Amino acid sequence: MSLDGSSTQHGKRTTSVLHVCGETTSQKVQFVQSLLGCKIFEISGGRDMLFALTDEGIYDVLRAVDLRDDNIESVLVEDLGADSMALGKQHFLALSYNGEIYTWGQGSAGELGHGISNINIPFPTPLPVNEPIVSIACGDYHSCVVDKKGNAYAWGQNFDKQLGLYEKANKMLGPGTCVEGVMMVPKFLAFSLSHRVQVMACGARFTAAITKNGDLWTWGAGECGQLGTGRCTARENPQICEVMSNSGKKALMVGAACGNAHLLASSRDGELFSWGLNCKGQLGLGDITSRYAPVQVIGAFAAKKVFALGHSSAFVDRDGVLFTWGSNTAGRLMQEVNDSYLWLPTPVTKFDNNIIHSFAFCEKHSAALIITRLLQVTPDQCPQKSVNTLQLRGCGYYKTDTIIVKFMKVGNLGFQAPRSSVGTLESTGEITCKPPKFNEPGEYDVSIAINGQDFTTDAVRILVYADPVLGSFYPFIVDMRNCDEPVSIILSGTYLDTLGEDAPFRIRFSSYGHMSSAVKGAAYVEADAMLMPAESRSDEQRDGRGMNEEDLEEEVRDTFGTEREDEDEDNMSQMEEPPRERRLKCSVNLSPMWQSIDDQSEQTGGTSLSEPPSLCFLQAQLSLNANDLSKASSTHLICHRFTPMSAEPACISCDTGGRVTVTGIGFFASTVYKVQVVITESASGLKTMVGCTYHSKCSLFFDAPSIDSVIHDDLDPNDPRGVIRTDLTFCYTSPSGEGGELEQVFLHPGSIPLYYFNIPRASVHPTAIRRLGGTSLTIRLQDDISFPFHTSRAKVIFIQESTVPIDPVYVSAEMVPIKPVESSTVIETKTEGESDTRPTTSQSNARTGSPLVEETKAESLEAGSPEEEEGTVGELESVEEKQEMYEICCECPSLIPKEETVKEIMSLAIVTAEATAAAAAAATPTPVTPATAPTKGLDKKAASSKTRAPSIAAALGPTQPTLASALPKEVLVGILLDGVSEPGIENCTKIVLFDKVTFKDIQAQPKMGFAFGATVTVNVEGLVPTDSCHVRIRGANDTSLCVEATAAINELNPNFGTVVFQLSKPLTGVVDPEMKSRVAWYYLDISIDGMCTFDKSETPVLAVKPH
């Protein structure tokens, strides 16, 4: 009988795995390698032998264990196809598939049933019967069978009345049929006339039978209580054994097994009962006390088949789990423990996840048979084409390269051949396969053949349905800064209703091509979805959702340089009508997936968790079952941390506008970008929208409009402050999820500034620079106001005005941040009679204030009326606003013109000087000679020379032009904030050029030197007007002290002037270069360009009294 109770049909066998444990295997459970692939369907044991039954014959299992080659014919003991087999002490019974009985072995006690003349038969010999036999059993020296009508027969030794024959009937037997209590031929058991027998079992010297109505009958030896009918030596006639369950109901028996002197029985409800000898705990009751009546074995199990031999017991429950207990001789309980016996039924853990089909004991071994069976296919519902992997769970699997999985269409009338695929053994009890693409949806029966030929008969049915196809998203762009909360997403698709209107839907969102990982689909999240009601949608609405496949593929390539994997074409095009589009709605939390991408990025050397990835594309797949996913959606969900950081240039011309490059992170290729330019200082919130173009994942660009196209009348384009702030925000336009109306969605919650300027006039420090260069300039806006923005394109232009054109000089400048300013409005609550000391706006913005910092108006504050005590001043209240401010710094280049220009300037200067001198000489009157008598002998030539006008050279005298005097004395400085837009002359600042400041002397220097605290006045040559003058008192070894000084120009001779400073502190640390004890002499170095360059005295000139 098979495990499910049905008869095993000949010709539909399948492969199996046989395990053995005992003396030969060192008490370890191991499978019989040489019998793998044999179609074993039953095993039997007794004495010191175990047999495996196949259609090809009967194999000796213990000899097969030691087999070292593939010649399994060497262990084929009998060429007999038997369905079951029973062993006695020295004889064998076998039952063929057609109900014939074969006996062989030693039969001196008549156990062969062939009469007294045939007591030794070496090979299987059929025993004539009237009806096909369905059950056989053997005791030590007797045999029993049951035919299909329920008639029972017995023969062999009857010393202990184990045959169940009436004595009076024995007297009527013919000659040679019964010799001294031995029956030589099969004898019909009369009790089976009225009690049809279903199965029989034999102990060593007793017999049990279960009738078709569930009654248990026993007879034979009973000295140990094995008959279950109380204490008795033996019972000649079959007697019913009343078996009562613990619930008080009569138990109906279906199976029985006999040991030497104990009996096991199982009921229809799976209850297990035992009685008889219990010397080794074989009753499974937790003790070694024998029982004389049936006792239910308590346990959470449902017995299906029972087995017993000697003092050992076993059963297989309805789940195929094997339990063993009793004597553990040679480890035959398969528990792999050293205990000599077990008192309670114990599951054999070696066979977890397997189903035991049959079990058999012998004296020093046991065997467990696992037949190849397919129990479950996961998933049991799968898509027609995108099915990934099927898991086939079952038992009786073993590793081989010939595993074939077959798929047969249910209802196939022979027009379609079955589809098949190759299976792979993943673990004990699990095979996986990639199924074929099914021709059409429907139900398919799945079976498996481990040897590639013999498929399992218990096929498992699966459902194959048409593949759902996901299309577009709404929204198709998600800001991951807000991913802590679930995002509501709608997906459109086709064939979504093939799973049923009320089917549970689950959508997987997986990363695709994110920038820090090359592994696709490494991170994902899933969310339950709901199929929305069907509706008819227009083409315009359908096309407006998401981004189509071609655009998205181009975006992925542009952004990440990756290509999407090729996918097989669907057969949907073969359908005459396009599938109906449906929509799914889900709410998904994407933050775990984003964190997973961060983790993987860190493991793969990508962006660290402190700098998380700023962009990834998600694809959606419909989870069709526990194992398969639909094809990826035809569009992608763009998840970003779109973060614009700066605009370059940071400022552009009001008149022309210009191209602006925006840098940041999280940018993606798209045609949906729009940049909104908002005038910050406009009370009416003026703004304009312009298109923005993707350049790379870190940059975008757009063409900013001129300010005239935005401002109109709200702001003065000629604002003297020179700079107008605008804010840039980025957005895209998308159809809404429900009705398809267009809506504007912002990509980033903040904005970045962009400044428009009116070619601002510069405020330059210092106001005098050296012509040879080296002076560092600091430039701010007019009125010494700092710049409220940063740009890397700023330049400074130097223009020298001259009769001979001189090329302007351009120098790249750097914008340096200064200490953040605090523009505040101080409100002082005055007591009566005090003056208002609040600073004005111009005062608060002087030098460091920014015109773009929003001024806080005192009127906007709610002026409180705190209670004040008489004579006290109220508290000061302030509102502060901080903003990063910048100034422009650059180093002045050499402003000496080119050599050709210098020559031309000098030539022109000489010509001009000569012309001036000639005009001056011509205007000088000739002196009148007094009226005297002419001198005799006076040389006419000499007289002529005395009356001629002076020459030009004589007129020029010491004022003849030099290079320093010929070159321009001033230079115009202007700012190119964007590096392009040049300022006009009117917007440039004029500063003075100087060549060298030369020391002349010190006025009124005391003979013994100046004392500390004295004021020193130095006469110098080459001085020009300046706002910065410093004197460096220098000693030996480069020790020095720098003090601030005041420069004054001589009105009568502008080339000369004085420098005045005070010896306000001791010259500590300045080494006297003369090393004199009474008077210390020091060098004097003078700087008039903000201490950038110094003109040094050649000798010590300053005398100071020692401290």
Side-chain angles (χ1 to χ4, degrees), residues 752-956:
I752 59 174
L754 176 67
Y755 296 89
Y756 282 85
F757 63 87
N758 280 307
I759 313 296
R761 184 176 180 86
S763 174
V764 183
H765 178 79
T767 59
I769 63 175
R770 192 177 296 273
R771 191 187 305 275
L772 290 177
T775 304
S776 296
L777 285 183
T778 300
I779 305 173
R780 294 185 179 182
L781 290 171
Q782 189 177 11
D783 297 330
D784 206 18
I785 297 174
S786 305
F787 293 91
F789 58 86
H790 179 275
T791 176
S792 61
R793 299 187 181 186
K795 292 182 180 179
V796 176
I797 185 173
F798 297 85
I799 304 173
Q800 298 182 70
E801 293 182 314
S802 173
T803 307
V804 177
I806 301 177
D807 294 336
V809 179
Y810 298 89
V811 177
S812 295
E814 180 183 2
M815 299 202 78
V816 179
I818 60 177
K819 183 178 180 181
V821 302
E822 297 182 1
S823 64
S824 61
T825 300
V826 180
I827 304 174
E828 182 178 15
T829 306
K830 310 184 301 296
T831 58
E832 185 177 355
E834 292 184 346
S835 61
D836 190 349
T837 60
R838 291 180 291 178
T840 63
T841 303
S842 60
Q843 290 174 337
S844 65
N845 286 337
R847 290 193 60 84
T848 58
S850 167
L852 299 180
V853 178
E854 184 176 348
E855 299 176 355
T856 306
K857 298 181 180 180
E859 291 79 1
S860 64
L861 297 176
E862 295 182 3
S865 301
E867 297 180 359
E868 303 176 9
E869 297 181 2
E870 183 178 357
T872 62
V873 179
E875 298 180 353
L876 296 179
E877 301 176 4
S878 64
V879 180
E880 299 181 354
E881 181 179 323
K882 298 182 180 180
Q883 180 176 350
E884 190 84 32
M885 305 301 289
Y886 299 88
E887 58 188 10
I888 293 178
C889 297
C890 74
E891 185 172 340
C892 294
S894 172
L895 295 177
I896 299 177
K898 298 178 181 179
E899 184 177 355
E900 296 80 3
T901 306
V902 170
K903 291 180 179 179
E904 189 175 352
I905 291 175
M906 288 299 298
S907 299
L908 182 60
I910 293 173
V911 170
T912 303
E914 290 178 347
T916 303
T924 302
T926 303
V928 178
T929 303
T932 58
T935 304
K936 292 184 178 181
L938 182 64
D939 185 40
K940 295 180 179 180
K941 183 175 181 181
S944 174
S945 63
K946 289 180 180 180
T947 59
R948 190 174 59 186
S951 67
I952 297 175
L956 288 174

Side-chain angles (χ1 to χ4, degrees), residues 39 187 289 362 657 879 950 1003 1026:
K39 295 179 285 186
K187 177 61 179 176
T289 302
C362 69
V879 180
Q1003 297 179 9
T1026 180

Side-chain angles (χ1 to χ4, degrees), residues 18 90 111 191 217 340 348 390 466 536 642 725 828 954 1054:
L18 184 63
Q90 55 186 3
E111 53 265 47
F191 94 99
W217 297 71
S340 57
V348 179
L390 289 180
S536 58
F642 184 99
R725 171 169 173 160
E828 182 178 15

Side-chain angles (χ1 to χ4, degrees), residues 981-1035:
S981 302
E982 295 192 8
I985 297 297
E986 69 279 3
N987 288 320
C988 291
T989 301
K990 185 177 294 186
I991 59 177
V992 184
L993 292 172
F994 73 94
D995 294 290
K996 184 177 181 181
V997 179
T998 305
F999 171 83
K1000 289 298 183 180
D1001 56 28
I1002 298 177
Q1003 297 179 9
Q1005 180 168 238
K1007 184 175 181 180
M1008 298 304 297
F1010 288 99
F1012 294 109
T1015 299
V1016 180
T1017 301
V1018 182
N1019 295 323
V1020 295
E1021 182 182 0
L1023 189 65
V1024 297
T1026 180
D1027 65 344
S1028 173
C1029 183
H1030 294 82
V1031 173
R1032 184 170 63 191
I1033 305 172
R1034 178 165 51 89

Side-chain angles (χ1 to χ4, degrees), residues 293-312:
V295 178
Q296 184 174 347
V297 180
I298 304 301
F301 44 73
K304 183 71 173 181
K305 290 183 178 181
V306 290
F307 309 90
L309 180 74
H311 303 310
S312 300

